């Protein structure tokens, strides 16, 4: 009984603490201030994406296209500035692109009723292809002088804290407020808990679902800004990486069940810390990229199995064809 | 003038075919096939040498390799899952084949077996996780995609050079890769064999049906005792094995292990699956659809590559096709029945002149009277829906009931009632043959026979399929009434081939000649259709010459005569038309004339509506069913007529209490017994001037000693 009270987030946090301690003791160079800052900076982008994903997963969806939203609109900013547009105009264009992208995702899922996994898989590929074929001249969009000042978002500090971490914190607070303090946040949970029930109750579930995907795309775009600012370019090939799995890992490990209606910002933070620590430790241990992926995949698999036992799918409200 | 146009359009424009075609399952396969043809034509116009034998053979090889993977994916999607790990499995199997061949130097058959087993094992991991642990298919195979891919990369790291440097020289291996049989690439041939087996497996074998059932409704499949978890797991194993087969041919053809083998394959394969019309979420799909989808995707991607577009465009096109196909598929699946029910009803033009008067005081044979007011009632409240009534040689009374029973009332007082036989369906017209077998038309089932010792036997439930009809009309939907010729042949009517029993009013709204008359020969056991295109053929009675039948067309408001033998064989003649009501059953009267029941009376509103097909079509589309104009069947009468088409007498119940409606009547020993399909009683009316010893089947077949 006691054990059941001990929720997933406490367990994951304990694992994180143990892992952190083990790495700190056995890995030389792990527990240094420099490494800690690197870890946090690396984790910031992942964490922001995790928040976007959390919004969707709480509403019983999933958004595979987040990486496209991360890569393409910020890449557009860099490209446009390179081509001589001013930074604000480029930013506006990028945000508009992300907005449209979110709307398309939301429409496909809420109105055309395409399963979210499937819709976002296809739209993600589309957006990435669009970027590759139409928007960008090179796979890595380069920094240009017009961007000066923008890099503070990724490299500067506020009161001694790296800006990227501050950005993560700000998004955390915004999402937490949205989920816990507003009516819309309550709707997210209601839809995730029982979509049909929510609809019958009179919640405008379709517009709310569209809003979820728009918010996710905008947050993903913001994560892309942070990423671009911290590495001074936009490597659009990131779309082909396994970053999206890291994001799902963060959400699922943190304790936001894929069956929706559960979890919150705290879970994302815990999941992010654990994954960040794990990735950082593996990098220090010099495990190859493929090896890291293998381990990540195994951990993700175990966590999904555990998740399915802790949060069994609700067979009453599970849709036929809910793959 | 305008009415002539309407009439011509209704007559020659095959309006009803659209609904029938759409309600066919194969239309779902036809759409991707049409898309395929359009794509092929468009590309052959854009690209030179698109259809040369060399290019075709090349496409066939690729199509075979990808086709195997699509078959696996189709299987998994039909069972209600998805398999994103196919690309990585493909790569691992490719590696496995080349490793066994180039480094371990195994013989080719062993390599083939090892590769397929490798694929099956990889699939088994998915199957265990999704089938037995009941994880979500999408997320699980996404994870195994990463794991398998990383494993492949790690394996590749140590072995790629060794594999690339070895140059195996096995003719059989080359044959797998590049061989031809009669000009057909080996891979295409194997694919064809697997596809044909797959088609038979999915449509004709029990496990295939189980797979479709699970995809259609997992819980129902479980409740009906299907081993859901095992079946799902095995589907993933099969998907792995099929992917391995594709990879084997790929390995034999190219012999390379690169970092990008199978990357993004899952998207291509998924696009092919969805494009073919295999429904995401399961329960619907076929091998033909998988093949059509594969070919479309391959033609498009190959075409784009040949046209030299940038890689990004390729992705965009593929993603767009994927999305559009998914949306169309989902919307179609959701609205299919609604669309079909809207277009299925297709009213036609039906003109009737003003009916003869039935008013009191106007004279004429149909003048209303009150003769049926004082009929005695049999089985009131104890029987439901006696469409037809019949009496045997021992004066017992039989009637059908709504519950699928043949009820018998025992002579002489008809108070004792028993279930003579339970058949099911809705028993309609009845007749005794020479051996006292009771033949009965059962709505929804066919023609049945009850032997004198109460054994129920099916006489027939199907006839020859019409050559040019879209609907399969071989099954009997609404067998209605029958009579038996001297040589034992049974002629019975089927009221409509387009609707089920309970939808008969919709057929009335349509007023199309949807019915037919069928002949069953018990001596040969054969059934064939003798007359088609009749407007709700109903009552049937052998005419006095023994070579023809009189039959009633309910919505045609006419009685016709059809000769099945003799000098006039095949001739159809109108006996009476423009009746004031809708004729139902016809039976023999003791004086050699015929009894006819009018089940309902015509109304000017419906007569007018029958001349306006467009009006009725709009009505069918915009109004709920219970507000449509239907033929009324709540009042009617019995008339006596002769073969010349003269009405001799009519019997009415103006009060409408005892017999609101009449569908059938039999004369027996000076009484007329009345049945009605919406009544809860049988009426018995004392006839004046009738032969008090008349027993229909004694006269028909000769009195038994």
């Amino acid at each position: 009984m006691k054990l059941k009270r001990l929720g997933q987030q406490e367990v994951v946090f304990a694992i994180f603490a143990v892992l952190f301690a083990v790495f700190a003791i056995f890995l030389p160079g792990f527990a240094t201030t420099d490494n800690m800052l690197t870890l946090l900076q690396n984790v910031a982008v992942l964490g922001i994406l995790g928040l976007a994903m959390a919004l969707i997963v709480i509403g019983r969806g999933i958004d595979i296209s987040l990486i496209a939203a991360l890569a393409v609109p910020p890449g557009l900013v860099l490209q446009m500035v390179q081509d001589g547009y001013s930074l604000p105009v480029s930013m506006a264009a990028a945000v508009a692109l992300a907005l449209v992208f979110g709307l398309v995702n939301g429409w496909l899922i809420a109105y055309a009723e395409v399963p979210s996994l499937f819709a976002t898989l296809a739209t993600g590929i589309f957006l990435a292809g669009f970027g590759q074929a139409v928007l960008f001249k090179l796979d890595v969009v380069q920094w240009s002088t017009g961007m000066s000042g923008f890099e503070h978002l990724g490299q500067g500090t506020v009161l001694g804290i790296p800006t990227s971490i501050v950005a993560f914190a700000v998004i955390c607070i915004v999402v937490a407020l949205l989920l816990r303090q507003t009516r819309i946040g309550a709707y997210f949970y209601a839809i995730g808990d029982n979509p049909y029930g929510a609809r019958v109750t009179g919640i405008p579930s379709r517009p709310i679902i569209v809003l979820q995907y728009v918010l996710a795309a905008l947050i993903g775009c913001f994560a892309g800004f942070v990423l671009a600012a911290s590495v001074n370019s936009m490597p659009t090939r990131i779309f082909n990486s396994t970053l999206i799995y890291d994001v799902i890992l963060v959400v699922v490990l943190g304790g936001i069940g894929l069956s929706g209606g559960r979890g919150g910002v705290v879970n994302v933070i815990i999941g992010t810390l654990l994954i960040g620590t794990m990735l950082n430790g593996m990098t220090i241990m010099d495990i190859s990229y493929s090896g890291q992926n293998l381990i990540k995949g195994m951990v993700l698999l175990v966590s999904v199995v555990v998740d399915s036992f802790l949060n069994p799918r609700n067979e009453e409200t599970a849709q036929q064809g809910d793959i | 003038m305008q009415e002539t146009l309407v009439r011509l359009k209704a007559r020659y424009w095959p309006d009803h075919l659209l609904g029938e075609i759409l309600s066919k399952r194969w239309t779902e396969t036809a759409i991707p096939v049409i898309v395929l043809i359009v794509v092929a034509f468009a590309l052959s116009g854009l690209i030179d040498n698109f259809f040369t034998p060399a290019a075709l053979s090349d496409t066939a090889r690729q199509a075979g390799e990808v086709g195997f993977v699509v078959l696996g994916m189709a299987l998994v999607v039909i069972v209600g899952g998805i398999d994103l790990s196919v690309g990585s499995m493909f790569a691992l199997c490719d590696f496995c084949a080349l490793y066994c061949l180039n480094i371990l130097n195994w013989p080719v058959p062993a390599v083939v077996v090892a590769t397929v087993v490798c694929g099956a094992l990889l699939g088994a991991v998915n199957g265990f996780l999704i089938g037995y642990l009941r994880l979500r298919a999408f997320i699980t195979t996404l994870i195994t995609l990463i794991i398998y891919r990383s494993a492949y990369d790690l394996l590749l790291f140590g072995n790629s050079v060794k594999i690339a440097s070895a140059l195996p020289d096995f003719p059989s291996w080359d044959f797998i890769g590049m061989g031809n049989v009669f000009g057909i690439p080996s891979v295409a041939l194997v694919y064809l064999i697997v596809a044909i087996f797959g088609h038979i497996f999915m449509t004709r074998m029990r496990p295939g049906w189980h797979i479709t059932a699970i995809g259609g409704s997992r819980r129902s499949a479980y409740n009906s005792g299907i081993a859901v978890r095992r079946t799902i797991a095995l589907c993933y194993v099969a998907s792995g094995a099929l992917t391995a087969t594709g990879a084997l041919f790929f390995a034999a053809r190219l012999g390379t292990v690169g970092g990008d083998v199978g990357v993004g394959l899952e998207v291509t394969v998924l696009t092919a699956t969805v494009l073919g019309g295999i429904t995401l979420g399961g329960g619907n799909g076929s091998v033909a659809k998988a093949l059509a989808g594969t070919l479309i995707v391959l033609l498009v991607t190959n075409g784009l590559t040949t046209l030299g577009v940038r890689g990004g465009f390729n992705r965009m096109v593929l993603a767009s096709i994927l999305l559009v196909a998914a949306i169309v598929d989902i919307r179609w699946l959701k609205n299919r029945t609604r669309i079909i029910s809207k277009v299925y009803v297709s009213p036609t033009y039906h003109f009737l002149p003003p009916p003869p008067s039935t008013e009191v005081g106007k004279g004429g044979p149909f003048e209303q009277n009150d003769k049926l007011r004082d009929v005695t009632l049999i089985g009131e409240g104890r029987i439901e829906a006696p469409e037809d009534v019949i009496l045997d040689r021992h004066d017992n009374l039989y009637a059908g009931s709504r519950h699928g029973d043949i009820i018998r009332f025992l002579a002489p007082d008809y108070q004792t009632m028993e279930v003579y036989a339970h058949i099911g369906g809705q028993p309609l017209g009845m007749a005794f043959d020479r051996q006292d077998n009771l033949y009965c038309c059962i709505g929804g089932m066919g023609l049945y026979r009850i032997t004198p010792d109460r054994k129920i036997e099916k006489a027939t439930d199907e006839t020859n399929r019409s050559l040019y009809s879209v609907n399969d009309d071989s099954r009997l939907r609404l067998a209605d009434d029958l009579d038996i010729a001297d040589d034992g042949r049974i002629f019975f009517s089927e009221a409509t081939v387009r609707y089920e029993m309970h939808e008969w009013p919709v057929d009335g709204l349509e007023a199309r000649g949807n019915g037919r008359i069928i002949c069953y020969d018990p001596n040969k056991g054969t059934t064939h259709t003798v007359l088609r295109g009749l407007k709700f053929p109903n009552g049937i009675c052998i005419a006095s010459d023994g070579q023809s039948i009189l039959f009633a067309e309910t919505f045609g408001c006419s009685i016709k005569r059809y000769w099945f033998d003799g000098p006039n064989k095949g001739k159809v003649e109108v006996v009476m038309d423009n009746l004031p009501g809708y004729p139902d059953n016809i039976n023999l009267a003791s004086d050699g004339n015929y009894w006819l029941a009018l089940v309902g009376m015509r109304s000017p509103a419906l007569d007018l509506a029958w001349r306006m097909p467009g009006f009725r079509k709009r009505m069918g589309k915009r109004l709920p069913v219970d507000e449509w104009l239907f033929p009324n069947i709540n009042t009617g009468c019995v008339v006596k007529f002769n073969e010349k088409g003269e009405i001799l007498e009519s019997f009415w119940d103006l009060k409408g209490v005892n017999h609101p409606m009449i569908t059938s009547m039999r004369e027996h020993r000076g009484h007329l017994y009345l049945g009605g399909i919406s009544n809860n009683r049988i009426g018995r009316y004392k006839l004046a001037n009738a032969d008090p010893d008349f027993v229909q089947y004694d006269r028909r077949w000769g009195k038994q000693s």
Side-chain angles (χ1 to χ4, degrees):
Chain A
M1 206 58 206
K2 265 266 153 52
L3 196 70
K4 219 168 184 184
R5 290 267 167 75
L6 192 70
Q8 192 182 349
Q9 63 191 60
E10 286 82 4
V11 174
V12 174
F13 191 77
I15 294 173
F16 157 69
V18 170
L19 197 66
F20 193 88
V22 169
F23 281 169
I25 295 166
F26 293 104
L27 275 184
F30 179 80
T32 60
T33 322
D34 270 359
N35 188 47
M36 282 300 106
L37 281 181
T38 322
L39 189 158
L40 284 174
Q41 265 182 350
N42 287 346
V43 149
V45 171
L46 189 61
I48 297 174
L49 287 175
L51 288 169
M53 184 66 92
L55 281 182
I56 305 285
V57 172
I58 286 171
R60 200 184 279 190
I62 199 159
D63 190 349
I64 306 289
S65 66
L66 265 182
I67 306 303
L70 163 108
V72 176
L76 179 67
V77 173
L78 270 68
Q79 186 70 51
M80 282 177 73
V81 171
Q82 220 176 74
D83 296 345
Y85 294 93
S86 74
L87 187 58
V89 171
S90 315
M91 293 276 282
V95 171
L97 179 63
L99 198 71
V100 170
F101 183 63
L103 282 174
V104 170
N105 266 343
W107 180 82
L108 284 171
I109 291 153
Y111 290 91
E113 295 174 3
V114 182
S116 58
L117 291 154
F118 197 75
T120 53
L121 178 75
T123 54
I125 294 170
F126 183 88
L127 188 63
F130 182 65
Q132 192 187 352
V134 179
L135 301 179
F136 311 134
K137 298 197 177 73
L138 294 170
D139 274 353
V140 178
V141 188
Q142 294 300 330
W143 198 257
S144 54
T145 47
M147 296 294 296
S148 61
F150 191 70
E151 72 274 9
H152 291 299
L153 188 58
Q155 297 169 2
T157 57
V158 177
L159 305 172
I161 307 165
T163 337
S164 55
I165 298 168
V166 175
F168 178 40
V170 169
I171 299 283
C172 273
I173 293 167
V174 169
V175 173
L177 285 178
L178 175 77
L179 285 178
R180 294 295 180 202
Q181 299 298 324
T182 65
R183 189 173 297 178
I184 288 174
Y187 287 170
F188 285 9
Y189 282 97
I191 292 170
D193 207 35
N194 184 343
Y196 299 116
R199 199 161 171 180
V200 168
T201 327
I203 294 173
S205 35
R206 282 177 161 174
I208 293 287
I209 290 173
V210 174
L211 180 68
Q212 281 177 354
Y213 286 90
V214 169
L215 284 178
L218 290 176
I219 296 176
C221 173
F222 181 73
F225 288 148
V226 174
L227 178 71
S230 55
V231 298
N232 274 356
S233 66
M234 189 67 229
T236 55
R237 290 207 133 221
I238 197 171
F239 179 76
N240 299 335
S241 74
T242 53
L243 184 57
I244 191 66
Y245 310 131
D246 294 349
V247 176
I248 298 174
L249 201 54
V250 161
V251 171
V252 175
L253 271 188
I256 302 179
L258 284 172
S259 45
R262 279 162 215 212
V265 171
V266 179
N267 302 77
V268 178
I269 297 174
I270 292 173
T272 313
L273 286 176
L274 179 62
I275 293 301
T277 311
M278 211 171 76
L279 292 181
N280 187 274
M282 286 196 294
T283 311
I284 292 177
M285 283 189 280
D286 198 22
I287 298 175
S288 72
Y289 179 67
S290 305
Q292 286 195 20
N293 276 343
L294 194 66
I295 294 168
K296 250 172 10 194
M298 291 296 188
V299 173
L300 186 50
L301 191 59
V302 171
S303 64
V304 170
V305 172
V306 172
D307 176 58
S308 80
F309 281 106
L310 289 179
N311 307 315
R313 285 168 77 178
N314 184 346
E315 291 287 343
E316 289 303 316
T317 61
Q319 276 176 294
Q320 181 68 33
D322 184 11
I323 46 181
Chain B
M1 176 62 196
Q2 199 191 349
E3 191 158 328
T4 316
L5 286 179
V6 170
R7 181 170 60 82
L8 289 174
K9 179 185 173 248
R11 175 138 188 203
Y12 293 106
W13 181 251
D15 210 14
H16 59 293
L17 291 184
L18 179 66
E20 292 183 5
I21 289 171
L22 280 182
S23 55
K24 286 279 179 187
R25 297 298 284 190
W26 52 254
T27 43
E28 289 174 20
T29 314
I31 295 165
V33 169
I34 292 169
V35 172
L36 174 63
I37 293 168
V38 170
V39 166
F41 269 105
L43 286 174
S44 65
L46 281 172
I47 303 165
D48 298 333
N49 305 327
F50 194 72
F51 280 126
T52 57
L56 275 185
S57 144
D58 202 43
T59 310
R61 279 184 207 285
Q62 283 185 38
E65 287 156 19
V66 178
F68 279 114
V69 187
V70 176
L71 283 183
M73 177 72 91
L75 194 65
V76 168
V77 170
I78 291 171
V79 86
I82 199 165
D83 190 350
L84 296 177
S85 66
V86 286
S88 304
M89 286 202 285
F90 191 85
L92 271 178
C93 293
D94 178 42
F95 176 83
C96 172
L98 292 174
Y99 185 80
C100 291
L101 191 82
N102 292 7
I103 293 180
L104 301 181
N105 292 319
W106 288 8
V108 172
V111 172
V112 171
V113 171
T115 310
V116 173
V117 168
C118 166
L121 285 178
L122 293 173
V125 173
N126 285 334
F128 174 74
L129 291 169
I130 297 161
Y132 287 100
L133 294 187
R134 291 194 294 160
L135 300 187
R136 285 158 179 273
F138 194 99
I139 200 83
T140 311
T141 52
L142 201 64
I143 296 165
T144 49
L145 177 151
I146 313 171
I147 295 177
Y148 291 166
R149 173 61 59 184
S150 327
Y152 174 71
D153 287 342
L154 289 175
L155 286 170
L156 205 58
F157 186 67
N159 297 304
S160 61
V161 182
K162 272 191 264 177
I163 288 177
S165 56
L167 287 170
D169 187 24
F170 296 108
S172 53
W173 185 247
D174 293 338
F175 178 76
I176 295 177
M178 294 305 288
N180 285 315
V181 179
F182 305 121
I184 303 166
S186 52
V187 55
L189 208 64
V190 177
Y191 176 84
L192 219 62
I193 293 166
V194 172
I196 289 170
F197 171 76
H199 178 74
I200 294 170
F201 178 79
M202 289 307 288
T203 55
R204 300 289 186 278
M205 287 168 73
R206 191 179 300 232
W209 281 49
H210 283 181
I211 289 168
T212 316
I214 292 169
S217 171
R218 193 182 161 129
R219 206 181 316 169
S220 306
Y222 177 81
N223 289 343
S224 52
I226 296 172
V228 171
R229 296 184 179 192
R230 192 180 68 216
T231 311
I232 292 178
L234 286 176
C235 281
Y236 285 91
V237 174
S239 165
L242 286 164
T243 307
T245 316
L248 188 70
F249 285 104
F250 179 82
R253 182 164 63 99
L254 297 178
T256 55
V257 278
D260 60 347
V261 170
V263 173
L265 182 68
E266 64 277 353
V267 177
T268 314
V269 168
L270 203 57
T271 311
T273 313
V274 176
L275 208 54
I278 294 170
T279 305
L280 283 172
N284 181 13
S286 69
V287 171
K289 289 178 178 177
L291 176 60
T294 311
L295 290 176
I296 297 174
V297 168
L298 268 185
L299 287 184
V300 169
T301 47
N302 282 2
L304 288 175
T305 315
T306 319
L307 286 172
V309 300
R310 290 178 60 182
F313 271 118
N314 227 327
R315 273 182 169 179
M316 284 166 72
V317 170
L318 216 56
S320 312
I321 297 177
L322 187 55
L323 271 178
V324 170
I327 294 172
V328 169
D329 180 48
I330 284 161
R331 302 314 297 183
W332 167 250
L333 203 73
K334 192 174 173 188
N335 295 316
R336 179 173 183 265
T337 33
R338 211 166 58 194
I339 294 169
I340 290 174
S341 73
K342 280 209 166 178
V343 299
Y344 193 81
V345 178
S346 84
T348 187
Y349 177 83
H350 181 33
F351 173 78
L352 288 171
S357 167
T358 60
E359 249 176 90
V360 182
K362 287 271 177 75
F366 292 108
E367 185 177 356
Q368 290 173 341
N369 54 52
D370 234 350
K371 291 179 188 167
L372 294 187
R373 181 176 203 148
D374 299 317
V375 296
T376 45
L377 304 178
I378 298 170
E380 186 187 4
R382 294 196 288 161
I383 186 165
E384 271 185 75
E387 202 265 354
D388 198 6
V389 289
I390 195 166
L391 293 109
D392 66 11
R393 298 173 198 261
H394 312 293
D395 304 339
N396 298 316
L397 172 65
Y398 301 78
S401 87
R402 188 171 64 83
H403 310 100
D405 298 327
I406 307 286
I407 304 285
R408 174 157 75 170
F409 293 92
L410 295 178
D413 56 358
Y414 304 117
Q415 290 303 307
T416 318
M417 166 182 148
E418 62 176 3
V419 174
Y420 180 62
H422 177 79
I423 303 176
Q426 164 90 55
L428 300 171
M430 293 183 281
F432 281 107
D433 74 357
R434 211 181 282 272
Q435 287 80 36
D436 281 341
N437 292 314
L438 178 61
Y439 275 92
C440 184
C441 285
I442 311 280
M445 290 173 74
L447 180 65
Y448 281 72
R449 161 173 67 218
I450 304 154
T451 60
D453 50 358
R454 293 172 128 181
K455 222 168 86 206
I456 300 166
E457 291 165 352
K458 183 181 83 180
T460 180
D461 63 356
E462 57 185 328
T463 177
N464 54 319
R465 192 194 190 293
S466 337
L467 222 51
Y468 301 111
S469 74
V470 176
N471 270 358
D472 182 357
D473 58 358
S474 58
R475 287 275 159 182
L476 302 182
R477 282 182 143 175
L478 182 44
D480 202 330
D481 193 24
L482 74 159
D483 208 352
I484 303 171
D486 292 345
D487 59 358
R489 271 183 297 170
I490 297 170
F491 289 89
F492 63 100
S493 56
E494 189 181 22
T496 171
V497 294
R498 264 169 70 79
Y499 294 95
E500 300 300 332
M501 167 96 193
H502 65 277
E503 294 168 314
W504 68 265
V506 188
D507 192 77
L509 180 84
E510 220 173 57
R512 181 187 302 281
N514 292 328
R516 56 186 173 178
I517 287 176
I518 298 164
C519 172
Y520 166 68
D521 190 338
N523 303 319
K524 295 189 212 145
T526 55
T527 312
H528 71 277
T529 308
V530 294
L531 276 181
R532 293 199 168 77
L534 305 174
K535 291 190 167 83
F536 214 85
N538 202 326
I540 286 197
C541 188
I542 300 286
S544 58
D545 60 358
Q547 297 180 334
S548 58
I549 51 172
L550 298 167
F551 65 90
E553 272 188 280
T554 299
F555 300 135
C557 298
S558 63
I559 307 291
K560 289 180 181 168
R561 185 171 184 175
Y562 164 73
W563 278 267
F564 54 85
D565 264 341
N568 287 328
K569 188 174 176 181
K571 187 177 152 197
V572 179
E573 186 186 86
V574 176
V575 178
M576 287 192 291
D577 60 0
N578 196 29
L579 291 166
Y582 309 114
D584 204 315
N585 285 0
I586 307 173
N587 279 309
L588 198 61
S590 56
D591 54 6
N593 296 314
Y594 301 92
W595 295 109
L596 169 69
L598 293 184
V599 63
M601 303 311 288
R602 282 162 58 186
S603 73
L606 186 66
D607 281 1
L608 184 63
W610 268 349
R611 292 162 60 185
M612 300 158 74
F615 163 73
R616 276 177 292 143
K617 188 152 185 97
R618 284 194 295 283
M619 179 166 69
K621 278 186 180 165
R622 294 183 194 169
L623 290 183
V625 181
D626 54 352
E627 290 177 17
W628 290 359
L629 265 177
F630 288 129
N632 106 66
I633 56 162
N634 51 20
T635 183
C637 65
V638 175
V639 298
K640 190 192 263 185
F641 71 99
N642 62 21
E643 282 176 9
K644 282 180 279 190
E646 295 159 345
I647 301 290
L648 307 172
E649 207 177 351
S650 63
F651 300 79
W652 294 80
D653 177 11
L654 276 183
K655 211 168 151 204
V657 173
N658 277 340
H659 266 81
M661 59 94 72
I662 300 166
T663 49
S664 178
M665 69 273 108
R666 298 269 175 185
E667 186 180 340
H668 186 82
R669 293 195 194 281
H671 287 88
L672 198 60
Y673 294 83
L674 307 163
I677 196 164
S678 59
N679 292 350
N680 64 348
R681 66 198 69 182
I682 293 165
R684 185 170 188 247
Y685 173 68
K686 175 96 182 83
L687 289 166
N689 314 321
D691 175 4
D693 297 318
F694 173 73
V695 175
Q696 187 182 356
Y697 288 98
D698 276 347
R699 178 174 299 183
R700 184 85 183 82
W701 304 124
K703 199 168 172 72
Q704 278 180 335
S705 49

